Amino acid sequence: MAYKKRGTLQCSDEQKAQLEKISKSRIEQQQHIQRAIIFLRYMEKVPIAQIAKEVGLSRQRVYASIDKALAFGPIAALKDLSGRGTPPVIMDDAKAWVISLGCESPKQHGYSHEVWTIALLARHVREHCVQENHPSLQNAGKSLIHGILNKEGIKPHKIRYYLERRDEHFEEKMAQVLTVYKQVEIVNNKEAKNPKNLELRKSTTISYDEKPGIQAIKNISAQLLPVAGKHATVSRDYEYKRLGTLSLLAGIDLHTGICIPSVENRHRSSEFIKFLEKLNASYPEDWKIRIVLDNHSSHRSKETMRYLETVPGKFEFTFTPTHGSWLNMIEIYFSKLSRSILRHIRVDSKEELKQRILKGIEDSNLEPVVFKWKYKMDEIIVES
């Protein structure tokens, strides 16, 4: 290809010094550095082929930069001229259409998906953009669609869960539970200062809940223990056998930290009544037992009510609000139990699982922890 002969590039000493500074800069844009080198080498009458090789550009690109410098001066030519460059290919109305799709459900468009994947949304855009008068999106890929959505902070491929308060008396019920905890705190502080107060107390407070669906899982192959210098961890075969599930019914004494457990196959009213009988037998006959518990149907069933009628005044229930089980302190104990005992447990039978759960709770009762509730406790005022 033949190239026309170009004239001399006029440049003042000040401009040349500026070009030399830019050509050696480590913080300037790469494009500006390349063009400064091109202009300096051109003024030194270095061959175009050598300049192109030095800056890593084609001869056409080098000539285009020189022509711009000859027309507007070397300093002005360092930057792209205003109004030049590639105009935006994707118009705002096309982007708005993509965003509106991201805010809709795929089910509205006949897909089986619950939420969009970026690939599915990109495919839908490509297939329907022409009929929606957005032909510029015919080649839209995942990166383009993701970029359009991300700029607006929209992530239709992700789900964030929230908890809707369906109990219109949530605050009132929460206050009742926190009042119980405040009363427990006052009693515990008095007994810590003067143990003789324990002899005067004729009641206790239990935080109760069920932990259903505890899996009894059996290893198919032998479990290999660590070997010093060879194997750092316990090793297990990936395959295992499910033997069924158990339910843990448990109450933790908020004054002593002692857990009272019952491990059953299910957690119906009959199992709950059995637990209440166990609680009744665990404390003096003249003591009153106050229980913080959730609204499970077995706690309010006819069978449970009939049992409570046989022990009038013995039990007092304080129910947590609907979707407020996090207010129940036994959940803290269950979390600790799951992490320390249940997380990796393997057994040969459901009976073994039951005995190991009971043994773990028995061991924890040797060093009981009295949990202290802190959330919004400063807002609760009770008579001491």
Side-chain angles (χ1 to χ4, degrees):
M1 180 185 292
Y3 294 97
K4 66 179 182 180
K5 187 175 181 180
R6 270 109 177 140
T8 303
L9 181 58
Q10 301 297 323
C11 181
S12 67
D13 292 341
E14 183 180 350
Q15 289 177 329
K16 188 172 183 180
Q18 188 175 348
L19 290 175
E20 289 177 346
K21 182 179 179 180
I22 293 172
S23 70
K24 298 174 183 178
S25 174
R26 300 177 64 179
I27 59 173
E28 275 283 350
Q29 293 183 28
Q30 181 65 19
Q31 187 181 60
H32 296 174
I33 296 173
Q34 286 177 329
R35 289 177 180 175
I37 294 173
I38 289 171
F39 301 154
L40 290 170
R41 297 294 182 269
Y42 181 76
M43 288 186 287
E44 295 171 1
K45 301 187 182 304
V46 176
I48 297 298
Q50 185 175 334
I51 297 174
K53 186 176 180 180
E54 184 176 345
V55 297
L57 297 175
S58 65
R59 294 176 67 183
Q60 293 92 330
R61 294 277 300 278
V62 172
Y63 273 123
S65 296
I66 293 171
D67 287 341
K68 188 186 298 183
L70 290 171
F72 302 100
I75 302 302
L78 288 173
K79 300 179 181 180
D80 290 327
L81 301 180
S82 59
R84 301 290 294 270
T86 305
V89 177
I90 312 300
M91 297 292 104
D92 289 342
D93 58 340
K95 293 179 182 179
W97 177 62
V98 172
I99 293 168
S100 69
L101 285 175
C103 295
E104 297 173 356
S105 170
K107 293 186 292 183
Q108 295 176 241
H109 299 275
Y111 298 103
S112 61
H113 297 62
E114 185 66 27
V115 297
W116 289 109
T117 65
I118 299 300
L120 177 63
L121 184 55
R123 191 185 82 192
H124 180 85
V125 167
R126 291 194 299 271
E127 292 175 354
H128 296 84
C129 62
V130 174
Q131 68 188 58
E132 296 291 336
N133 296 319
H134 304 299
S136 59
L137 295 169
Q138 289 182 79
N139 297 317
K142 292 191 294 184
S143 59
L144 175 63
I145 299 301
H146 180 271
I148 293 173
L149 296 174
N150 192 56
K151 190 172 181 179
E152 297 298 322
I154 298 174
K155 300 178 181 179
H157 57 295
K158 293 188 175 182
I159 296 177
R160 177 179 292 173
Y161 288 90
Y162 71 97
L163 186 61
E164 181 180 352
R165 289 188 176 180
R166 296 187 174 90
D167 193 332
E168 59 182 10
H169 302 295
F170 187 95
E171 296 293 337
E172 178 184 340
K173 293 179 180 179
M174 180 175 70
Q176 291 173 357
V177 174
L178 297 186
T179 298
V180 171
Y181 292 160
K182 190 71 172 183
Q183 291 169 345
V184 169
E185 180 183 309
I186 292 171
V187 170
N188 289 348
N189 289 339
K190 285 183 177 180
E191 292 178 354
K193 294 177 181 178
N194 185 3
K196 289 184 178 181
N197 285 317
L198 177 59
E199 301 174 5
L200 303 175
R201 178 158 58 92
K202 297 295 182 181
S203 66
T204 192
T205 304
I206 303 293
S207 174
Y208 168 85
D209 202 3
E210 299 95 359
K211 185 174 180 61
I214 302 175
Q215 290 276 356
I217 299 176
K218 178 181 180 180
N219 285 326
I220 299 298
S221 303
Q223 179 167 288
L224 307 178
L225 298 177
V227 177
K230 293 185 178 181
H231 305 288
T233 65
V234 173
S235 298
R236 286 176 175 167
D237 192 334
Y238 282 102
E239 293 189 7
Y240 55 84
K241 182 178 180 181
R242 298 180 188 272
L243 303 176
T245 61
L246 292 174
S247 293
L248 170 62
L249 292 72
I252 188 167
D253 190 314
L254 299 182
H255 299 285
T256 65
I258 296 293
C259 179
I260 302 169
S262 179
V263 180
E264 307 290 344
N265 287 318
R266 301 175 69 178
H267 58 290
R268 303 163 298 178
S269 296
S270 57
E271 285 80 19
F272 180 55
I273 292 170
K274 182 180 176 181
F275 180 82
L276 292 178
E277 292 173 339
K278 185 174 183 178
L279 271 185
N280 194 8
S282 300
Y283 292 93
E285 188 176 344
D286 60 339
W287 276 38
K288 184 175 182 178
I289 301 174
R290 180 168 53 180
I291 304 177
V292 177
L293 69 173
D294 63 22
N295 290 276
H296 191 273
S297 58
S298 64
H299 305 161
R300 296 176 175 270
S301 68
K302 293 179 180 179
E303 295 89 339
T304 300
M305 294 302 107
R306 281 197 295 267
Y307 168 74
L308 293 176
E309 290 173 1
T310 65
V311 285
K314 183 67 176 181
F315 294 97
E316 177 187 321
F317 288 177
T318 300
F319 292 100
T320 58
T322 303
H323 294 311
S325 59
W326 54 272
L327 285 166
N328 204 338
M329 274 205 268
I330 188 69
E331 298 295 342
I332 303 172
Y333 185 82
F334 281 166
S335 175
K336 180 180 178 181
L337 190 70
S338 297
R339 288 180 280 110
S340 61
I341 296 176
L342 300 178
R343 184 181 180 187
H344 297 299
I345 198 166
R346 293 290 187 271
V347 295
D348 291 324
S349 66
K350 287 175 65 175
E351 180 61 26
E352 181 187 346
L353 176 60
K354 175 179 179 178
Q355 295 306 319
R356 290 178 65 179
I357 291 173
L358 293 174
K359 181 64 169 62
I361 294 175
E362 180 184 343
D363 291 342
S364 71
N365 282 341
L366 297 176
E367 297 180 351
V369 176
V370 178
F371 296 109
K372 295 181 180 180
W373 192 268
K374 295 183 179 180
Y375 177 69
K376 288 195 173 183
M377 288 295 280
D378 293 338
E379 302 176 13
I380 304 299
I381 300 176
V382 298
E383 294 182 4
S384 57

